[in-house]
Amino acid sequence: MSAQQMMKVFATRRIPQEGMKILQKAGGMCNLSLWDSDEPVPRAELLKGVAGAHGLLCLLSDKIDTEVLDAAGPNLKVISTLSVGFDHLAIDEIKKRGIRVGYTPDVLTDATAELTVALLLATARRLPEGVEEVKNGGWSTWKPLWLCGYGLSDSTVGVIGLGRIGLAIARRLKPFGVKRLLYTGRQPKPQAQEVDGEYVPLDSLLSESDFVIVSCSLTPKTQGLCDQTFFSKMKKTAVFINTSRGAVVNQEDLFKALSSGQIAAAGLDVTSPEPLPTDHPLLTLKNCVVLPHIGSATYSTRGVMAELSANNLLAGLTGSEMPSELKL
């Protein structure tokens, strides 16, 4: 294939080697242009880099809107995102232009479920506070009620969105002695039987759960779902966990709920915006644990994600079946 016939690919970030090796091996088919950094590509560089591209490999932090699609031009055949989420993509416009989209579901399910359980335990049992007390000299002697938290044994757990990740979270929580597993969503899920899940209205889930876990997709219906009304229906002793998308939560309302004692604690792996500003009010609270969106951050998971996104991209360029295509 001549240089004129070679397809141009722009990758918005340096990705794990498993993916880079696949792209480099395809050097005879495509000409790879890479923003060679661990940091996000600046907007101007993105618009310049994507010009004339046949394929685009992007991340969740890259806003692929009409301006980017226009900058790419009519050659663009495929967008491969190294993520399970796709709310950063202008899906309607992409569909209108007949561009195929590859993404990476399933492969990060286990890692995200593990992180969710870890975050729940860390928040409920006040682990970050405990670590801080050891470091700052606050640990003086054993005290009956010092740093007491909430346990999973005999508890009721509510999962909002029992999809792949929600179900994986429920599977991991059951062995802790959870008494009831409630879930809500668009409709009952047959797979809920595996974890003895009870399908209930959202209001029932909120009022009865000791732990509320948000694991739903970000849609117009779920945007801002967790607001003042939502938190007011929860128990004062309840722990709130969100590992889905930051925009599902109204963070001002969450701050009020936490600072007023309306709910006991919250653990977040996702925020809006990301990164959360260091002077954000939520970061002043001891009963709020915030992580930097590391749900899928295991070496093996990120490697598989990179591999899948590279294979999705190449399949899109050649017009063949993608390992994981988003049905538009």
Side-chain angles (χ1 to χ4, degrees), residues 237-269:
T237 54
V239 174
F240 173 80
I241 302 293
N242 182 24
T243 54
S244 61
R245 285 288 174 266
V248 172
V249 178
N250 181 315
Q251 291 175 171
E252 287 181 15
D253 289 353
L254 176 59
F255 174 79
K256 287 173 191 167
L258 289 167
S259 55
S260 67
Q262 192 169 53
I263 65 172
L268 312 172
D269 184 43

Side-chain angles (χ1 to χ4, degrees), residues 15-19 22 81-85 103-115 165 168 172 269 293-310:
I15 65 171
Q17 277 305 305
E18 291 89 339
I22 290 169
T81 181
L82 197 145
S83 65
V84 64
Y103 69 137
T104 62
D106 301 326
V107 296
L108 49 69
T109 297
D110 288 339
T112 304
E114 288 171 6
L115 189 279
I165 293 174
R172 285 160 173 76
D269 184 43
H293 201 154
I294 53 171
S296 65
T298 67
Y299 291 112
S300 59
T301 299
R302 292 286 170 83
V304 174
M305 286 173 71
E307 196 174 303
L308 181 54
S309 62

Side-chain angles (χ1 to χ4, degrees), residues 21 34-35 45 49 66 72 75-76 98 137 140 147 164 226 232 237 253 260 274 299 301 326:
K21 283 175 184 172
L34 169 73
W35 177 253
E45 293 295 330
T66 303
N75 285 344
L76 192 61
S140 55
L147 286 176
R164 287 183 297 263
C226 308
S232 70
T237 54
D253 289 353
S260 67
E274 291 182 357
Y299 291 112
T301 299
L326 184 64

